[in-house]
Amino acid sequence: MTNAMELSQRAQGVPASPTLAITARVKELKAAGEDIIGFGAGEPDFGTPEVICDAAVESIRSGQTRYAPTPGTPEAREAIARKLRDQNGIACEATDIIINNGAKFTVYLALQALVNTGQTVLLPTPAWVSYKPMIQLAGGVVREIPAGPDSDFKMTPEQLEAAIDSDVRAIILNSPSNPCGTTYSGAEIRELAEVLSRYPHVAVIADEIYEQLTYEDEPYLSIGSLPEMADRTVTINGLSKTFAMTGWRIGYACAPGDGGSVIKAMTRMQSQMTSSITSFLMSSIPAALERAGGEVQQMRQTFAERAELIHGLIKSWGEVTCPRPTGAFYVFPDISCTFGRTSAGGVAINSAMDFAGALLDEAGVAVVPGEGFLGCGVNHVRMSFACSEDDIREGCRRIQDWLAKLA
Ligand code: PMP
Ligand code: GLU
């Protein structure tokens, strides 16, 4: 007989998000008065622009505190559709949009809407920590497409083609990449689309949450804007990163294909799960997308300067190698040159996990060990530069000193 509180196999199989765990741990240590430099958190260190906060406060004061429509209010959906048409070239209408409780839940719902038990989902790796558990929660089977620093962590069209067979249901594309900080160029996206166009049974889940945070001159290309991909791409985005709104929990999806069947399915599921996002946050969506452009440009410029700064500092760490970040707010140095050595505190460093643990304990610097990102992530740590220039300089100085003392 089973114990009444025995967990389902599904629950037993889900690991906690390591990125959120590290973010929480750093907050705890700082609150306890410890002198910690945090490169762990994948969240902007800026405040949410005032114009967005004002819209939400006004909504709460004017009594918009009841249930809202499940996929979002018509105004909020229209603002998103307009953004995707004007900025991303995606042909869509307000009815092609669903607003969810963060892009994380949007990815989850999209997978639930598309994937049957046993079907394969392609995952270019290293990949964000939550994709694999979410694919597995949908009953899907993960097939990794591994890429490394030599190709800026980007899969080639040949790798993509070799990974596709009749079991494949979908692919998750995330550019700019968490954790790698690299971005597919427009030409590279077109090459991948050319391969995918020959396999019409494969849907694309394009996680574009860092799309506004790119540091090259080249304009961003959304795969869902290409005519051959338009009908089978679910474009996912949200307000968390671009507008410094991680705690607000606002994400969205756009999928114009097949008469909006995927958005309708996601809406049905959401209506049984969370109903909608918080009703008085709906008005913050047009406010952000239409009235916070100046603040976004400023934050982007600051991230671009920090990207250069941190990359320059890491380059002076001896054998540690690190591709230049072109998007998001992450660098992903290869620290495997430290494996087999021992820290000043006596810890044998044989993995990214050992590296990150010893670095936090001995130097007070938090980074995310790469194991959870899969693929060659085992040789890397992720450092977020969503922190001040002073923290970047001080944290990098501490790491350099700590590295110099390895025996
Ligand atoms: N996708 C990627 C690649 C991310 O890094 C994040 C960050 N948490 C998300 C989705 C989810 O963002 P949110 O749920 O805060 O909208
Ligand atoms: N995406 C951010 C990160 O990778 C926030 C934490 C999370 O949701 O994973 O750090």
Side-chain angles (χ1 to χ4, degrees):
M1 216 186 284
T2 54
N3 167 347
M5 297 305 274
E6 187 170 316
L7 297 177
S8 68
Q9 285 170 2
R10 201 168 46 253
Q12 288 184 41
V14 181
S17 161
T19 45
L20 287 183
I22 286 160
T23 309
R25 174 106 184 94
V26 168
K27 283 182 183 162
E28 266 169 33
L29 288 168
K30 283 187 173 172
E34 301 265 347
D35 172 22
I36 304 291
I37 303 285
F39 291 125
E43 66 176 343
D45 52 324
F46 304 109
T48 303
E50 218 168 285
V51 63
I52 304 174
C53 299
D54 288 348
V57 170
E58 166 59 21
S59 292
I60 212 170
R61 289 206 187 284
S62 66
Q64 289 172 48
T65 51
R66 304 216 166 141
Y67 289 132
T70 293
T73 58
E75 299 75 23
R77 294 170 87 193
E78 179 52 40
I80 292 168
R82 204 176 309 123
K83 177 255 184 286
L84 291 173
R85 284 195 302 265
D86 296 351
Q87 290 181 11
N88 303 83
I90 298 174
C92 63
E93 303 298 330
T95 49
D96 300 320
I97 308 296
I98 182 171
I99 302 167
N100 316 105
N101 306 69
K104 186 181 277 185
F105 189 60
T106 316
V107 175
Y108 175 84
L109 273 187
L111 287 163
Q112 292 287 334
L114 287 167
V115 178
N116 278 317
T117 304
Q119 289 181 322
T120 297
V121 179
L122 300 180
L123 186 61
T125 56
W128 179 42
V129 291
S130 292
Y131 294 137
K132 181 176 177 181
M134 290 198 279
I135 293 167
Q136 290 174 332
L137 282 169
V141 176
V142 175
R143 182 177 298 164
E144 291 187 42
I145 306 181
D150 303 350
S151 62
D152 259 1
F153 304 104
K154 296 184 236 177
M155 73 180 144
T156 62
E158 293 75 26
Q159 276 185 298
L160 171 60
E161 181 131 36
I164 299 176
D165 62 21
S166 57
D167 295 338
V168 174
R169 179 69 191 91
I171 178 166
I172 297 185
L173 259 190
N174 169 224
S175 173
S177 156
N178 177 2
C180 307
T182 52
T183 313
Y184 286 94
S185 68
E188 287 163 342
I189 291 286
R190 282 179 207 281
E191 281 174 7
L192 298 176
E194 192 282 316
V195 172
L196 289 163
S197 66
R198 285 185 270 115
Y199 300 94
H201 63 289
V202 181
V204 178
I205 297 177
D207 181 347
E208 303 192 344
I209 188 107
Y210 297 103
E211 147 253 7
Q212 293 283 314
L213 300 176
T214 57
Y215 312 121
E216 304 277 84
D217 284 338
E218 197 190 345
Y220 184 82
L221 182 67
S222 290
I223 192 163
S225 69
L226 300 175
E228 67 273 30
M229 298 310 300
D231 279 355
R232 55 195 169 96
T233 300
V234 183
T235 303
I236 292 176
N237 206 328
L239 306 193
S240 286
K241 315 288 175 168
T242 306
F243 300 97
M245 292 173 69
T246 45
W248 295 58
R249 314 306 306 128
I250 303 175
Y252 58 83
C254 168
D258 195 27
S261 61
V262 173
I263 295 299
K264 286 179 192 141
M266 289 169 72
T267 304
R268 287 199 302 278
M269 285 189 285
Q270 174 151 288
S271 78
Q272 301 284 19
M273 293 178 179
T274 62
S275 299
S276 77
I277 67 162
T278 303
S279 56
F280 49 80
L281 300 186
M282 294 287 180
S283 62
S284 66
I285 296 171
L289 296 175
E290 288 159 12
R291 291 159 57 203
E295 287 91 334
V296 169
Q297 275 324 310
Q298 244 165 26
M299 290 191 271
R300 196 187 144 278
Q301 180 56 34
T302 305
F303 283 131
E305 286 161 15
R306 292 174 181 174
E308 283 304 307
L309 174 65
I310 197 165
H311 186 237
L313 291 169
I314 291 172
K315 277 201 296 200
S316 60
W317 295 350
E319 291 163 81
V320 172
T321 55
C322 183
R324 200 170 77 79
T326 58
F329 32 64
Y330 306 111
V331 277
F332 202 49
D334 180 337
I335 46 82
S336 60
C337 58
T338 64
F339 295 174
R341 302 180 66 188
T342 305
S343 73
V347 176
I349 311 290
N350 291 311
S351 67
M353 205 85 85
D354 295 339
F355 180 104
L359 185 69
L360 181 59
D361 291 344
E362 297 171 19
V365 179
V367 298
V368 182
E371 284 88 346
F373 300 109
L374 310 175
C376 72
V378 293
N379 293 329
H380 295 253
V381 293
R382 189 191 78 179
M383 297 171 65
S384 156
F385 48 87
C387 55
S388 70
E389 286 201 4
D390 285 350
D391 275 7
I392 292 174
R393 287 183 204 283
E394 171 62 11
C396 287
R397 187 194 62 72
R398 289 188 195 179
I399 296 176
Q400 194 165 7
D401 288 355
W402 181 81
L403 286 170
K405 290 189 199 131
L406 290 180

